[in-house]
Amino acid sequence: MQEELEKMVQLESGKLSFTDNQIDFMLHNIGNLDPYLRDDVVYTLFARGFTADSFTPEQKTKIVTTFISSKNLFKDIEQPQNDLIFLRTFSALLASLILDDDQKQPFLNMTNRKTIFNWGIAYLKKEKDFRGFVSQKGWAHSIAHGSDLLGSVLSHPFFEVDNIANIFAIIPLVFQNMQKPFVDDEEQRLAFAFFQGVYFGKISASDFNSLVNCFNKQIYDQLAQNNRISW
């Protein structure tokens, strides 16, 4: 099956189509620890399949149903570090693809759409494994991938903000869970997600500026208590 999919990566967009068995294999291997199979084959084909509209409506339904029923986005998320980080973060990317495709031509039902919206906000609050590149296993990149999903939520025309504090809580929680500084552009991806929220009118610029200013003051007040401002 892997050889079949490798050949499909080379096909022109208009010639791309999938069997149900191929989609089953892709869903089963979305978090595979082999970075070539996971990134260059499985994720690439999911991305091309949605972008080129190469999945049938039934196949899209299968992908969404499996994503939701498996709850892979949160698999063992309470652990500080484990290999399931790849399953979680590439499930986040898959969810982002689903929402972006739903923006172009709505196909999700209201229940599934709302579930993915809620999960896209919850994921970054729950994730504890912030590794970027992992030797021999490739990119985990949870904050970057989770931010891509959050951006797809905040840019979706059907997403309505009913609790802005719930969304704003993401930033303090991410900083709270950090064990060391970001080194792989995670902060840019997180910032862009919130930029999308402002750009698409889901978040007011003034409210976001107030959040940043208040959180900034909170951090410096904490440093002052420990005499660490100069450091």
Side-chain angles (χ1 to χ4, degrees):
M1 181 65 73
Q2 180 172 340
E3 291 182 359
E4 288 182 23
L5 296 176
E6 288 173 349
K7 293 177 182 177
M8 291 173 63
V9 172
Q10 308 302 321
L11 291 176
E12 297 177 6
S13 295
K15 298 181 179 179
L16 195 60
S17 64
F18 297 85
T19 67
D20 289 348
N21 286 338
Q22 288 168 339
I23 290 176
D24 286 338
F25 181 88
M26 290 161 61
L27 288 167
H28 183 72
N29 286 279
I30 193 167
N32 197 290
L33 297 185
D34 176 357
Y36 169 71
L37 175 58
R38 182 188 65 242
D39 297 25
D40 298 335
V41 179
V42 172
Y43 173 70
T44 295
L45 287 174
F46 271 127
R48 290 190 59 198
F50 278 109
T51 302
D53 199 24
S54 299
F55 296 124
T56 67
E58 293 77 17
Q59 289 171 338
K60 286 184 180 181
T61 298
K62 179 186 186 70
I63 292 168
V64 172
T65 301
T66 301
F67 168 78
I68 291 176
S69 64
S70 68
K71 298 182 180 179
N72 285 336
L73 184 64
F74 301 105
K75 193 77 71 178
D76 275 8
I77 200 169
E78 70 280 356
Q79 301 297 324
Q81 279 193 6
N82 55 58
D83 282 341
L84 288 173
I85 183 63
F86 296 98
L87 177 63
R88 297 195 297 271
T89 63
F90 279 83
S91 293
L93 289 182
L94 176 60
S96 182
L97 291 173
I98 290 169
L99 288 183
D100 290 348
D101 191 64
D102 188 58
Q103 286 195 44
K104 296 184 300 181
Q105 181 64 47
F107 71 95
L108 294 170
N109 63 45
M110 290 179 61
T111 300
N112 288 345
R113 186 181 292 120
K114 187 172 183 179
T115 295
I116 300 176
F117 285 163
N118 290 338
W119 286 6
I121 294 170
Y123 173 71
L124 287 172
K125 297 179 180 179
K126 295 177 178 290
E127 185 60 74
K128 302 295 190 301
D129 190 341
F130 285 6
R131 287 176 294 172
F133 187 82
V134 180
S135 178
Q136 299 183 338
K137 297 174 183 177
W139 288 99
H141 230 193
S142 60
I143 298 303
H145 293 184
S147 296
D148 291 348
L149 172 54
L150 178 63
S152 294
V153 172
L154 295 177
S155 64
H156 198 291
F158 292 165
F159 176 69
E160 297 181 1
V161 179
D162 56 8
N163 185 352
I164 194 64
N166 186 40
I167 298 172
F168 281 172
I170 292 171
I171 293 178
L173 284 170
V174 167
F175 275 75
Q176 177 183 311
N177 289 327
M178 289 175 64
Q179 299 298 315
K180 58 184 179 180
F182 290 136
V183 295
D184 293 312
D185 297 331
E186 292 92 343
E187 70 279 13
Q188 296 179 30
R189 302 275 275 275
L190 182 60
F192 186 67
F194 280 91
F195 166 80
Q196 289 175 285
V198 173
Y199 183 82
F200 287 98
K202 307 302 172 69
I203 299 172
S204 77
S206 59
D207 285 348
F208 183 69
N209 289 340
S210 295
L211 164 73
V212 173
N213 288 332
C214 289
F215 186 52
N216 191 60
K217 183 178 185 301
Q218 175 187 334
I219 290 175
Y220 275 91
D221 286 347
Q222 291 173 350
L223 293 173
Q225 292 176 10
N226 297 317
N227 297 315
R228 291 193 297 165
I229 284 184
S230 61
W231 176 77

